[in-house]
Amino acid sequence: MTIDVDLYLSKTVSTAPAELQPILEKIRKLHSKKLWHQLTLATFEFLDHPLSPPFQVDFFENFVREFEAKLNALKLVDIGVRTSKQLSDPNAILEFLSSLRSRIDQTADPAAYILALASLAHAKLAFGDLVGTKTDIDECLKLLDNLEGAERIVSAAVYGVAADYYKAKADYAPYYKNSLLYLACVDPDTQMEPQERLERAHDLAVSALLGDTIYNFGELLMHPILEALEGSPFSWIKDLLFTFNEGNIGKFESLSPRLPQEPILAANAAFLRQKICLMALIEAVFSRSADERTMSFQTIAEETRLPQEEVEHLVMKALSLNLIKGTLDQVDQKAQITWVQPRVLSRAQIGSLADRLERWSQSLSNVEQFAHSQTGEVPVA
């Protein structure tokens, strides 16, 4: 059915709130002049207006659809996705987004297609279709890998729905990875509400602590998103995260009474105990110079506060996770460590490293002075 755009806009202008009328009148004039780029900008201005939500779906179906072929495909999908948020019926949302995706040429406009598919995946996730969500996410990631110079809005949509999917599955490591990738594509200060920043920081911290392959928190510790936890009921979780990074068992034990405040951490207390022991082992190795990294089981037991009979299992666990490299001497009850996984250092750790460098520099200076005293000055020919 052909839409009489002028009639529709004239009617909409006359019935819309006074605050929207100037924008709609501008849109009408731009459409009559076929100024598509300016019309796109004015459409986003309309969508951004706080009084526009009740009119957005009707505006899209009766106006935007009439000239959508003239629009940049990525802008069209962005407009459509924002409009879909005004729908409340799950079937209507899925139908709206499926229709939008079907009108995008994947070959001609791959970025727009990915954005539409990622948005459809998010809708499926919201309504409990985990299988359909995963299928769409996998396709999005494959297409994104082959897309050069993807715009942030596209990457953010893909990594955002992937993170939410793994959160729903309580799969901590992939949630952690995709959530950090999502944050790399957005500006948390301007694109996230305070409550959303707090929830993201909380979920990232919990996933870092509970992820069974996450032992390097560097990227998260340096990210400003953690500032959202300060002054909140979850500020102690930030302290716990830094405690793990330092491998400080004493601080961990002082914070342990607060674990019941976060049931999911309390339920995994045994795992957290093992993880802090592994982090303490890493710290014990790191704090020693290369010629002091042959450690007895007794020393490791003291550093990790474990019974000596559990040390061998701990070291083997660290070796299997590639946190350290080295060998075990079960006869002499010793571990020779040759490498430790690099990680972000706290101020105290940086200070310790600086002291070691200073001692190393002094040692070199002493060797140089000794060599000079033994050989005397070398005559110059």
Side-chain angles (χ1 to χ4, degrees):
M1 183 177 92
T2 303
I3 301 170
D4 188 333
V5 173
D6 286 334
L7 179 61
Y8 169 77
L9 286 177
S10 297
K11 181 180 178 181
T12 305
V13 169
S14 64
T15 57
E19 294 87 346
L20 286 177
Q21 291 178 6
I23 302 175
L24 290 168
E25 180 61 28
K26 178 167 65 172
I27 287 173
R28 188 185 68 77
K29 290 179 180 179
L30 291 171
H31 180 268
S32 67
K33 295 178 181 180
K34 296 180 170 54
L35 298 174
W36 308 122
H37 174 66
Q38 293 90 331
L39 182 57
T40 301
L41 298 178
T43 298
F44 279 109
E45 183 183 353
F46 171 76
L47 295 176
D48 287 336
H49 198 285
L51 296 180
S52 72
F55 304 91
Q56 288 181 14
V57 175
D58 187 63
F59 179 82
F60 186 89
E61 295 291 356
N62 291 290
F63 176 63
V64 176
R65 286 293 303 271
E66 188 275 336
F67 67 95
E68 65 179 24
K70 307 289 196 306
L71 294 178
N72 171 282
L74 189 59
K75 298 295 186 184
L76 170 63
V77 173
D78 191 9
I79 291 169
V81 170
R82 293 175 63 170
T83 300
S84 71
K85 298 183 188 303
Q86 307 310 319
L87 296 167
S88 57
D89 179 60
N91 291 326
I93 295 172
L94 292 173
E95 182 180 348
F96 183 95
L97 291 173
S98 295
S99 174
L100 179 62
R101 182 197 57 178
S102 69
R103 301 197 303 274
I104 303 300
D105 188 326
Q106 179 181 341
T107 303
D109 299 295
Y113 181 85
I114 294 170
L115 179 59
L117 185 59
S119 301
L120 180 58
H122 232 147
K124 290 179 181 179
L125 178 63
F127 304 123
D129 182 5
L130 295 180
V131 174
T133 301
K134 184 62 164 61
T135 299
D136 290 349
I137 288 173
D138 289 343
E139 184 180 354
C140 284
L141 289 170
K142 183 178 179 180
L143 293 171
L144 189 62
D145 284 342
N146 295 321
L147 184 65
E148 294 185 7
E151 292 195 33
R152 282 187 164 192
I153 187 176
V154 178
S155 300
V158 175
Y159 295 131
V161 68
D164 288 349
Y165 169 79
Y166 287 113
K167 178 181 177 180
K169 298 279 288 184
D171 202 342
Y172 304 112
Y175 168 80
Y176 181 81
K177 172 187 174 183
N178 283 282
S179 194
L180 285 175
L181 287 170
Y182 168 76
L183 287 176
C185 303
V186 300
D187 180 357
D189 290 337
T190 60
Q191 294 178 264
M192 299 173 70
E193 295 295 328
Q195 183 61 30
E196 185 183 357
R197 289 197 298 271
L198 177 60
E199 290 177 3
R200 182 73 61 170
H202 167 272
D203 293 345
L204 271 167
V206 169
S207 65
L209 292 168
L210 296 182
D212 58 4
T213 59
I214 303 173
Y215 289 85
N216 190 337
F217 310 146
E219 190 173 355
L220 177 57
L221 294 179
M222 293 186 297
H223 202 289
I225 193 69
L226 282 186
E227 294 173 6
L229 296 176
E230 296 175 3
S232 77
F234 307 119
S235 59
W236 66 274
I237 297 180
K238 179 182 178 182
D239 297 336
L240 187 63
L241 196 63
F242 278 87
T243 294
F244 269 74
N245 189 63
E246 297 168 6
N248 191 320
I249 292 182
K251 285 186 180 179
F252 170 75
E253 291 179 342
S254 69
L255 288 169
S256 290
R258 305 195 71 168
L259 291 181
Q261 297 177 25
E262 189 67 33
I264 196 169
L265 294 181
N268 288 274
F271 171 78
L272 292 174
R273 164 61 68 173
Q274 181 190 65
K275 190 165 186 172
I276 192 63
C277 289
L278 286 165
M279 300 299 284
L281 173 60
I282 295 172
E283 176 61 22
V285 175
F286 175 80
S287 64
R288 287 167 165 77
S289 60
D291 57 357
E292 296 177 332
R293 290 184 175 176
T294 298
M295 304 168 64
S296 69
F297 283 12
Q298 181 179 350
T299 299
I300 295 174
E302 292 170 355
E303 295 280 1
T304 59
R305 302 190 186 182
L306 280 175
Q308 191 166 327
E309 60 268 19
E310 295 182 20
V311 166
E312 182 179 345
H313 175 74
L314 181 75
V315 176
M316 291 177 67
K317 180 73 173 178
L319 289 167
S320 68
L321 290 169
N322 205 33
L323 302 177
I324 59 174
K325 292 180 181 179
T327 57
L328 278 173
D329 186 336
Q330 295 169 313
V331 176
D332 291 337
Q333 299 279 283
K334 291 181 179 180
Q336 183 178 14
I337 312 302
T338 58
W339 175 88
V340 62
Q341 184 188 76
R343 58 203 173 100
V344 171
L345 306 180
S346 66
R347 291 182 182 273
Q349 291 168 319
I350 292 173
S352 174
L353 181 60
D355 290 341
R356 284 164 53 193
L357 288 172
E358 179 63 30
R359 291 196 299 270
W360 177 73
S361 176
Q362 185 61 48
S363 177
L364 286 181
S365 177
N366 292 340
V367 170
E368 181 182 10
Q369 292 175 11
F370 175 78
H372 183 74
S373 68
Q374 293 299 310
T375 60
E377 293 191 8
V378 178
V380 179

